[in-house]
Amino acid sequence: MRTIDFLQEGDGAIILIDQRLLPHEKKVLTIRTHQELIEAIQTLAVRGAPALGVAGALGVALIALRSEQKRWSKVKVGEAIADLRAARPTAVNLAWGVDQVTPLLPQGSAAVLKSALAISQADGLANRAMGKRGAAYLLEKCGRKKLRILTHCNTGSLATSDWGTALGVIRELGEQGYVQEVLADETRPLLQGSRLTAWELSEAGIEYRILPDGAAASALFSGLVDAVLIGADRIARNGDSANKIGSLGVAIAAKECGVPFLVVAPESTIDRSLASGEEIEIEFRADSEVTHFAGKSVAPLGARSYNPAFDVTLARYITAIVTEKCVYEISKGERL
Ligand code: MRU
């Protein structure tokens, strides 16, 4: 099944793979209310920018359906949509997905759902296009050889509607026989790299090793990496790209080592209303994600944290941004 989908039987519900339990348990969560969806988004049961875009659109379809079934007032519908839109601030895709389908509300829930499912379909097609474009670009840049690729966070099928963004490029390269190994940053503190990316790579039969985030610069300086591929949550007009915390450090190290650093994301992740990354709102998360590990305290009682979920990689560290439409060669001064 897709990471997130809509069950039309009965009262209607959103179904999604609960990413909090992976890799050890694959459980499907049935979401019946928009409050449940907001909780699933905030606790990262569903996560990754493009998947959040689909969650936003399907969420509006669910709200539309419930409002018809329970005769909600316009005010109540508006509040539910606003709460969903604001569930996580950094990935522009969530608000984008909500905004794409909200104008269809007067046409009824069936029209909203149809449009939301089309967004999911289009995201899948975009994944494949990015995969092909990114793979072709990288092979030209690095030469037609088996590549050693470092990646950060999870940008695969769990974060999207099909193959993934950065991981989609890796899958495409893998299919063509051009992957020697993937170095997957574990991605502290919620371990999207070791729990999710490693799981997707092992299912795809692609060679990988997991490294602590702190080892990424060392791997680059030791000559173990031919290219870095990451995704994005929001890209400003000048190319500054917000992605999972830790991406910035990897980009700086890659630039120092002369290793290409590619951001792979759908056009819907580009927020042209923002001039630069300074304007991107960064989500801060709970102390307990840092002071506890697997539910156990690993810090002195009462310790506080600095826990931004994302950082902004400045455009000057980015070689190129790959979308379904084209490759923007940022390092050659190309504009978005
Ligand atoms: O906090 P998360 O897990 O939602 O963060 C996800 C990321 O930072 C991904 O790299 C990004 O959304 C791109 S997913 C194709």
Side-chain angles (χ1 to χ4, degrees):
M1 73 171 267
R2 281 177 188 246
T3 290
I4 178 162
D5 212 336
F6 202 90
L7 195 67
Q8 301 201 40
E9 290 92 68
D11 286 347
I14 291 173
I15 46 172
L16 55 90
I17 297 171
D18 189 344
Q19 299 190 37
R20 297 167 299 193
L21 305 175
L22 288 169
H24 301 303
E25 201 181 327
K26 193 168 177 186
K27 191 177 142 196
V28 174
L29 212 57
T30 303
I31 304 276
R32 298 189 193 281
T33 67
H34 71 279
Q35 290 95 339
E36 284 173 9
L37 180 60
I38 290 170
E39 203 211 332
I41 289 171
Q42 291 177 337
T43 58
L44 273 56
V46 58
R47 47 146 297 282
L52 289 176
V54 177
L58 289 178
V60 176
L62 185 66
I63 290 166
L65 191 61
R66 292 293 178 265
S67 78
E68 286 168 2
Q69 292 164 341
K70 300 184 175 177
R71 298 176 181 276
W72 289 0
S73 69
K74 268 195 176 162
V75 173
K76 185 166 175 170
V77 171
E79 281 171 1
I81 290 175
D83 289 348
L84 172 61
R85 196 178 186 279
R88 288 189 81 191
T90 303
V92 67
N93 307 62
L94 174 60
W96 175 87
V98 168
D99 293 347
Q100 289 293 302
V101 301
T102 299
L104 296 171
L105 279 172
Q107 294 176 37
S109 63
V112 177
L113 180 59
K114 192 172 168 207
S115 175
L117 292 173
I119 286 175
S120 174
Q121 188 77 20
D123 181 52
L125 294 173
N127 284 183
R128 296 288 169 150
M130 272 177 264
K132 291 217 178 322
R133 224 178 264 291
Y137 177 79
L138 212 51
L139 289 174
E140 199 177 313
K141 189 113 196 133
C142 301
R144 294 193 163 265
K145 60 177 186 185
K146 279 185 179 273
L147 298 172
R148 299 159 307 161
I149 297 164
L150 187 137
T151 192
H152 191 76
C153 198
N154 172 265
T155 61
S157 59
L158 291 166
T160 63
S161 297
D162 190 23
W163 261 24
T165 58
L167 206 54
V169 175
I170 293 171
R171 284 178 191 272
E172 177 66 33
L173 287 166
E175 293 230 318
Q176 294 183 29
Y178 287 116
V179 177
Q180 182 171 325
E181 137 173 274
V182 177
L183 288 174
D185 281 354
E186 66 172 347
T187 317
R188 286 281 298 149
L190 297 180
L191 305 178
Q192 288 92 332
S194 56
R195 292 189 303 107
L196 309 177
T197 300
W199 180 70
E200 286 200 43
L201 289 168
S202 69
E203 296 268 303
I206 296 174
E207 283 293 319
Y208 71 90
R209 283 189 282 173
I210 300 167
L211 62 162
D213 299 349
S218 157
L220 279 151
F221 276 80
S222 302
L224 300 180
V225 181
D226 297 308
V228 178
L229 295 181
I230 63 161
D233 290 84
R234 193 183 291 244
I235 302 173
R237 219 161 54 222
N238 69 343
D240 290 352
S241 300
N243 190 51
K244 180 52 56 195
I245 189 73
S247 302
L248 170 62
V250 178
I252 295 169
K255 173 99 178 177
E256 272 292 318
C257 297
V259 169
F261 183 95
L262 264 57
V263 173
V264 187
E267 288 281 328
S268 56
T269 301
I270 302 174
D271 183 352
R272 290 187 173 85
S273 74
L274 305 185
S276 81
E278 273 176 39
E279 295 171 47
I280 298 176
E281 185 183 345
I282 299 293
E283 174 188 2
F284 277 75
R285 295 186 61 87
D287 289 336
S288 58
E289 290 183 354
V290 179
T291 58
H292 288 62
F293 189 80
K296 276 203 172 151
S297 171
V298 289
L301 207 64
R304 294 181 304 128
S305 74
Y306 173 67
N307 188 19
F310 303 95
D311 56 26
V312 175
T313 297
L314 303 175
R316 66 172 178 269
Y317 299 119
I318 297 172
T319 310
I321 296 175
V322 180
T323 74
E324 69 275 29
K325 205 173 101 189
C326 60
V327 177
Y328 301 95
E329 292 206 86
I330 301 296
S331 58
K332 292 188 179 164
E334 219 171 287
R335 311 293 301 166
L336 289 175

